[in-house]
Amino acid sequence: GESVGLHLPTLSVQEGDNSIINCAYSNSASDYFIWYKQESGKGPQFIIDIRSNMDKRQGQRVTVLLNKTVKHLSLQIAATQPGDSAVYFCAENILKETSGSRLTFGEGTQLTVNP
Amino acid sequence: DTGVSQDPRHKITKRGQNVTFRCDPISEHNRLYWYRQTLGQGPEFLTYFQNEAQLEKSRLLSDRFSAERPKGSFSTLEIQRTEQGDSAMYLCASNPTPIDLVNEQFFGPGTRLTVL
């Protein structure tokens, strides 16, 4: 079936650098996307979302870019801090469907921030 | 802390035993979801409720699994005759009915199940 996947399983950056985490999705019908952060032993924590009618959205130190042409999503974290170390998941949703409640998650990228 | 709580946080059981997990969503949220997450993988959808009605079940939810939300508030997930393959983190999430193309789901801390 169609699913969301991530290009890189691990990413290591220096503190203060910018981080870019990528995600490829295959379901062109997806119309809503979320990035979650998950620290060890905790549930996923919402970071930022984007609708399919947008190509960019900014939050505090984070930016999500959506390229529907190539079905690609990215999360940019500015001035990465040690507290950003976690696994990052992208998830997709198809709100138009009657069963459009489920989020479909990718496998995750482990971000490690080195001091 | 998102406001979604789960109990217990950890459960160790022997194969063949039954286990039950509880989720308390954010009080004003009418939708409640269960996901399962194995090590190194993203969460996988199991089922969701709108108020007390179970509206969708994944094919992952075998006959040994049952979920309830009797009063439209807390929910329970029961696994009967547990198998080692059931070992995973069971996550609960909640949100209001999605509006304006927003479907942010608020996750609890999860219940980690280990089946020996």
Side-chain angles (χ1 to χ4, degrees):
Chain A
E2 296 179 320
S3 64
V4 176
L6 293 169
H7 290 308
L8 296 174
T10 62
L11 178 64
S12 183
V13 300
Q14 291 298 121
E15 182 178 358
D17 288 351
N18 296 334
S19 302
I20 299 176
I21 301 172
N22 295 305
C23 175
Y25 66 94
S26 56
N27 193 341
S28 57
S30 294
D31 52 19
Y32 178 69
F33 304 87
I34 302 181
W35 281 100
Y36 280 94
K37 171 186 179 183
Q38 188 173 26
E39 297 173 287
S40 181
K42 297 184 179 180
Q45 176 187 357
F46 173 87
I47 300 173
I48 192 168
D49 59 0
I50 188 167
R51 307 172 197 172
S52 59
N53 61 353
M54 305 168 68
D55 54 19
K56 180 178 180 179
R57 191 170 188 210
Q58 289 185 294
Q60 187 176 13
R61 283 201 306 118
V62 295
T63 301
V64 56
L65 300 177
L66 175 63
N67 185 330
K68 294 183 289 295
T69 302
V70 295
K71 292 191 280 239
H72 184 268
L73 196 68
S74 68
L75 176 70
Q76 301 177 0
I77 305 174
T80 315
Q81 304 168 358
D84 295 327
S85 293
V87 178
Y88 290 80
F89 294 98
C90 66
E92 64 174 315
N93 190 211
I94 307 173
L95 288 176
K96 293 190 295 289
E97 293 183 346
T98 55
S99 61
S101 61
R102 65 170 67 191
L103 293 177
T104 301
F105 285 81
E107 292 182 340
T109 294
Q110 172 71 59
L111 175 66
T112 301
V113 182
N114 302 309
Chain B
D1 184 2
T2 62
V4 178
S5 61
Q6 293 187 243
D7 184 72
R9 294 292 308 277
H10 303 275
K11 178 70 177 179
I12 300 174
T13 191
K14 293 183 179 179
R15 187 179 55 176
Q17 298 295 305
N18 299 342
V19 295
T20 300
F21 310 140
R22 176 180 169 122
C23 171
D24 286 90
I26 295 171
S27 60
E28 62 268 26
H29 287 179
N30 59 353
R31 285 196 169 189
L32 185 149
Y33 310 78
W34 285 100
Y35 290 83
R36 181 174 71 184
Q37 184 177 28
T38 54
L39 196 62
Q41 302 295 313
E44 296 174 292
F45 173 82
L46 292 177
T47 188
Y48 94 94
F49 293 82
Q50 177 148 324
N51 300 312
E52 65 277 9
Q54 188 173 18
L55 297 186
E56 187 181 1
K57 292 194 290 186
S58 162
R59 285 173 292 178
L60 292 175
L61 214 64
S62 75
D63 292 344
R64 296 185 296 106
F65 288 69
S66 62
E68 296 182 341
R69 195 183 183 197
K71 299 181 180 179
S73 55
F74 73 92
S75 175
T76 57
L77 177 68
E78 181 183 17
I79 308 174
Q80 296 181 325
R81 305 180 302 282
T82 52
E83 301 173 356
Q84 289 183 326
D86 297 331
S87 295
M89 175 79 86
Y90 289 84
L91 292 162
C92 175
S94 72
N95 66 358
T97 301
I99 57 172
D100 199 25
L101 289 179
V102 174
N103 189 24
E104 177 187 350
Q105 297 180 14
F106 298 80
F107 282 84
T111 294
R112 180 164 294 285
L113 173 67
T114 302
V115 182
L116 302 176

